Amino acid sequence: MAGLTASFRSAGLDVTVSTEGEPQQLTPAADLTAFRIVQEALTNVTKHAAAKTARVRLAYSHDRLTLTVADDGGALRSAPPTPQVPGGFGLVGMRERAQSVGGRLRAGPGPGGGFEVRTELPLGEAALARETALAIRSRPSVKPPSAARPSST
């Protein structure tokens, strides 16, 4: 996450990161999901808001990570992108990513102004069980070899 936020800082966006609770290990899919959501949310801040600052908050509880990316309330330059392509970018893509690991995402005006993306991702046994079930379901089915022998004609 440090490299990601540093790249936005070098582009002129003042990004602060805070952590609450005891950090916990995420599953590989949830870790990638969290990274991509932060990346897309910060990209949207730089593209669509006149914001000068953004805050990334990681709040760990016993069963979930609540990830919040909020800007300082700069004026909206244009509507945030919402492509209709499955797995695409923008708000739709972030929501799909969160749902793919059993999480949820809310995006809209922040409580103190600006724009906020808030994601809840499962931690612990529930997250691991979901990823295991998805991995099993996504395996290609292997059919047993046919008992028929080739004809000798």
Side-chain angles (χ1 to χ4, degrees), residues 13-109:
L13 183 64
D14 182 19
V15 181
T16 58
V17 179
S18 64
T19 303
E20 298 173 14
E22 186 66 32
Q24 297 178 43
Q25 184 73 30
L26 297 170
T27 63
D31 188 48
L32 178 60
T33 295
F35 180 87
R36 294 293 188 209
I37 287 173
V38 170
Q39 182 180 46
E40 184 64 29
L42 291 175
T43 297
N44 285 348
V45 170
T46 61
K47 283 183 171 181
H48 303 291
K52 304 261 188 279
T53 64
R55 296 171 313 283
V56 177
R57 180 177 159 258
L58 306 166
Y60 292 89
S61 69
H62 72 286
D63 65 345
R64 81 184 52 136
L65 166 64
T66 302
L67 173 64
T68 307
V69 179
D71 68 44
D72 66 0
L76 194 62
R77 289 188 197 144
S78 65
T82 54
Q84 299 303 312
V85 179
F89 299 104
L91 298 176
V92 171
M94 287 189 282
R95 186 166 287 113
E96 289 174 353
R97 280 187 183 277
Q99 290 171 345
S100 75
V101 295
R104 58 185 170 197
L105 182 134
R106 182 194 71 76

Side-chain angles (χ1 to χ4, degrees), residues 75-153:
L76 194 62
R77 289 188 197 144
S78 65
T82 54
Q84 299 303 312
V85 179
F89 299 104
L91 298 176
V92 171
M94 287 189 282
R95 186 166 287 113
E96 289 174 353
R97 280 187 183 277
Q99 290 171 345
S100 75
V101 295
R104 58 185 170 197
L105 182 134
R106 182 194 71 76
F115 197 80
E116 179 179 274
V117 173
R118 182 181 172 105
T119 309
E120 293 181 358
L121 301 174
L123 292 172
E125 296 299 320
L128 191 56
R130 179 174 175 81
E131 281 192 30
T132 302
L134 287 173
I136 290 170
R137 267 190 259 141
S138 66
R139 283 187 194 156
S141 60
V142 177
K143 297 187 180 189
S146 173
R149 294 186 178 180
S151 63
S152 56
T153 48

Side-chain angles (χ1 to χ4, degrees), residues 1-13 15 35 39 42 46:
M1 185 86 53
L4 175 63
T5 55
S7 69
F8 283 95
R9 284 187 197 106
S10 69
L13 183 64
V15 181
F35 180 87
Q39 182 180 46
L42 291 175
T46 61

